[in-house]
mmCIF file of all heavy atoms in Angstrom:
data_model
loop_
_atom_site.group_PDB
_atom_site.id
_atom_site.type_symbol
_atom_site.label_atom_id
_atom_site.label_comp_id
_atom_site.label_asym_id
_atom_site.label_seq_id
_atom_site.Cartn_x
_atom_site.Cartn_y
_atom_site.Cartn_z
ATOM 1 N N SER A 185 8.136 1.990 34.011
ATOM 2 C CA SER A 185 7.295 1.003 34.635
ATOM 3 C C SER A 185 6.042 1.745 35.235
ATOM 4 O O SER A 185 6.148 2.950 35.540
ATOM 5 C CB SER A 185 7.969 0.269 35.774
ATOM 6 O OG SER A 185 8.200 1.108 36.909
ATOM 7 N N TRP A 186 4.991 0.985 35.424
ATOM 8 C CA TRP A 186 3.749 1.507 36.046
ATOM 9 C C TRP A 186 4.063 2.114 37.434
ATOM 10 O O TRP A 186 3.580 3.128 37.840
ATOM 11 C CB TRP A 186 2.675 0.523 36.086
ATOM 12 C CG TRP A 186 1.397 0.789 36.874
ATOM 13 C CD1 TRP A 186 0.898 0.034 37.878
ATOM 14 C CD2 TRP A 186 0.594 1.872 36.698
ATOM 15 N NE1 TRP A 186 -0.217 0.627 38.356
ATOM 16 C CE2 TRP A 186 -0.418 1.796 37.720
ATOM 17 C CE3 TRP A 186 0.559 2.993 35.888
ATOM 18 C CZ2 TRP A 186 -1.482 2.720 37.831
ATOM 19 C CZ3 TRP A 186 -0.428 3.906 35.986
ATOM 20 C CH2 TRP A 186 -1.466 3.785 36.977
ATOM 21 N N ARG A 187 4.811 1.374 38.233
ATOM 22 C CA ARG A 187 5.212 1.809 39.542
ATOM 23 C C ARG A 187 5.984 3.194 39.472
ATOM 24 O O ARG A 187 5.705 4.100 40.260
ATOM 25 C CB ARG A 187 6.022 0.809 40.270
ATOM 26 C CG ARG A 187 6.483 1.173 41.659
ATOM 27 C CD ARG A 187 7.219 0.094 42.377
ATOM 28 N NE ARG A 187 7.618 0.600 43.757
ATOM 29 C CZ ARG A 187 8.257 -0.215 44.647
ATOM 30 N NH1 ARG A 187 8.479 -1.497 44.287
ATOM 31 N NH2 ARG A 187 8.563 0.175 45.816
ATOM 32 N N GLN A 188 6.846 3.259 38.538
ATOM 33 C CA GLN A 188 7.662 4.506 38.471
ATOM 34 C C GLN A 188 6.824 5.672 38.140
ATOM 35 O O GLN A 188 6.960 6.829 38.725
ATOM 36 C CB GLN A 188 8.785 4.398 37.403
ATOM 37 C CG GLN A 188 9.944 3.460 37.883
ATOM 38 C CD GLN A 188 10.825 2.994 36.770
ATOM 39 O OE1 GLN A 188 10.437 2.956 35.534
ATOM 40 N NE2 GLN A 188 12.068 2.503 37.152
ATOM 41 N N PHE A 189 5.848 5.469 37.217
ATOM 42 C CA PHE A 189 4.923 6.543 36.830
ATOM 43 C C PHE A 189 4.135 6.946 38.001
ATOM 44 O O PHE A 189 3.933 8.103 38.372
ATOM 45 C CB PHE A 189 4.078 6.117 35.663
ATOM 46 C CG PHE A 189 2.930 7.082 35.363
ATOM 47 C CD1 PHE A 189 3.157 8.123 34.504
ATOM 48 C CD2 PHE A 189 1.701 6.975 35.927
ATOM 49 C CE1 PHE A 189 2.163 9.121 34.227
ATOM 50 C CE2 PHE A 189 0.663 7.894 35.619
ATOM 51 C CZ PHE A 189 0.974 8.985 34.774
ATOM 52 N N ALA A 190 3.488 5.963 38.649
ATOM 53 C CA ALA A 190 2.534 6.224 39.753
ATOM 54 C C ALA A 190 3.218 6.911 40.935
ATOM 55 O O ALA A 190 2.581 7.735 41.571
ATOM 56 C CB ALA A 190 1.877 4.924 40.196
ATOM 57 N N GLU A 191 4.447 6.497 41.278
ATOM 58 C CA GLU A 191 5.102 7.141 42.456
ATOM 59 C C GLU A 191 5.520 8.580 42.073
ATOM 60 O O GLU A 191 5.433 9.414 43.019
ATOM 61 C CB GLU A 191 6.354 6.262 42.720
ATOM 62 C CG GLU A 191 6.074 4.942 43.381
ATOM 63 C CD GLU A 191 7.361 4.237 43.794
ATOM 64 O OE1 GLU A 191 8.435 4.646 43.242
ATOM 65 O OE2 GLU A 191 7.250 3.299 44.537
ATOM 66 N N ARG A 192 5.818 8.915 40.859
ATOM 67 C CA ARG A 192 6.170 10.254 40.505
ATOM 68 C C ARG A 192 4.908 11.129 40.331
ATOM 69 O O ARG A 192 4.953 12.310 40.481
ATOM 70 C CB ARG A 192 7.030 10.216 39.229
ATOM 71 C CG ARG A 192 7.820 11.547 39.019
ATOM 72 C CD ARG A 192 8.724 11.502 37.820
ATOM 73 N NE ARG A 192 7.927 11.390 36.628
ATOM 74 C CZ ARG A 192 7.877 10.248 35.893
ATOM 75 N NH1 ARG A 192 8.487 9.110 36.416
ATOM 76 N NH2 ARG A 192 7.095 10.171 34.882
ATOM 77 N N ASN A 193 3.827 10.501 39.928
ATOM 78 C CA ASN A 193 2.532 11.260 39.613
ATOM 79 C C ASN A 193 1.396 10.625 40.276
ATOM 80 O O ASN A 193 0.499 10.088 39.723
ATOM 81 C CB ASN A 193 2.367 11.142 37.999
ATOM 82 C CG ASN A 193 3.521 11.646 37.238
ATOM 83 O OD1 ASN A 193 3.847 12.837 37.304
ATOM 84 N ND2 ASN A 193 4.196 10.787 36.522
ATOM 85 N N PRO A 194 1.332 10.840 41.653
ATOM 86 C CA PRO A 194 0.165 10.334 42.434
ATOM 87 C C PRO A 194 -1.234 10.862 41.983
ATOM 88 O O PRO A 194 -2.213 10.236 42.180
ATOM 89 C CB PRO A 194 0.484 10.705 43.850
ATOM 90 C CG PRO A 194 1.430 11.852 43.740
ATOM 91 C CD PRO A 194 2.212 11.664 42.560
ATOM 92 N N ASP A 195 -1.218 12.007 41.297
ATOM 93 C CA ASP A 195 -2.434 12.556 40.871
ATOM 94 C C ASP A 195 -2.582 12.385 39.281
ATOM 95 O O ASP A 195 -3.512 12.961 38.688
ATOM 96 C CB ASP A 195 -2.555 14.053 41.200
ATOM 97 C CG ASP A 195 -2.537 14.371 42.700
ATOM 98 O OD1 ASP A 195 -3.190 13.565 43.357
ATOM 99 O OD2 ASP A 195 -1.932 15.264 43.074
ATOM 100 N N GLY A 196 -1.810 11.504 38.758
ATOM 101 C CA GLY A 196 -1.825 11.298 37.349
ATOM 102 C C GLY A 196 -3.025 10.456 36.847
ATOM 103 O O GLY A 196 -3.856 9.983 37.674
ATOM 104 N N LEU A 197 -3.097 10.322 35.469
ATOM 105 C CA LEU A 197 -4.179 9.502 34.965
ATOM 106 C C LEU A 197 -3.583 8.304 34.151
ATOM 107 O O LEU A 197 -2.429 8.326 33.743
ATOM 108 C CB LEU A 197 -4.964 10.383 33.951
ATOM 109 C CG LEU A 197 -5.664 11.704 34.498
ATOM 110 C CD1 LEU A 197 -6.198 12.424 33.355
ATOM 111 C CD2 LEU A 197 -6.664 11.290 35.485
ATOM 112 N N VAL A 198 -4.375 7.320 34.057
ATOM 113 C CA VAL A 198 -4.000 6.098 33.255
ATOM 114 C C VAL A 198 -5.166 5.721 32.334
ATOM 115 O O VAL A 198 -6.303 5.870 32.662
ATOM 116 C CB VAL A 198 -3.675 4.942 34.204
ATOM 117 C CG1 VAL A 198 -4.811 4.560 35.100
ATOM 118 C CG2 VAL A 198 -3.114 3.643 33.397
ATOM 119 N N MET A 199 -4.773 5.239 31.177
ATOM 120 C CA MET A 199 -5.781 4.727 30.263
ATOM 121 C C MET A 199 -6.476 3.584 30.764
ATOM 122 O O MET A 199 -5.832 2.614 31.265
ATOM 123 C CB MET A 199 -5.053 4.427 28.897
ATOM 124 C CG MET A 199 -5.964 3.837 27.830
ATOM 125 S SD MET A 199 -5.000 3.437 26.308
ATOM 126 C CE MET A 199 -6.139 2.366 25.494
ATOM 127 N N ALA A 200 -7.852 3.616 30.710
ATOM 128 C CA ALA A 200 -8.667 2.498 31.311
ATOM 129 C C ALA A 200 -8.611 1.357 30.240
ATOM 130 O O ALA A 200 -8.328 1.480 29.110
ATOM 131 C CB ALA A 200 -10.034 2.975 31.481
ATOM 132 N N GLU A 201 -8.893 0.176 30.796
ATOM 133 C CA GLU A 201 -8.849 -1.017 29.927
ATOM 134 C C GLU A 201 -9.934 -0.928 28.783
ATOM 135 O O GLU A 201 -11.134 -0.689 29.101
ATOM 136 C CB GLU A 201 -9.133 -2.277 30.771
ATOM 137 C CG GLU A 201 -9.105 -3.579 29.926
ATOM 138 C CD GLU A 201 -9.144 -4.818 30.869
ATOM 139 O OE1 GLU A 201 -8.201 -4.967 31.596
ATOM 140 O OE2 GLU A 201 -10.152 -5.509 30.722
#
Side-chain angles (χ1 to χ4, degrees):
S185 72
W186 169 235
R187 179 177 181 176
Q188 289 165 338
F189 173 85
E191 287 183 345
R192 198 178 62 258
N193 301 296
D195 296 321
L197 301 174
V198 60
M199 177 179 164
E201 182 170 297

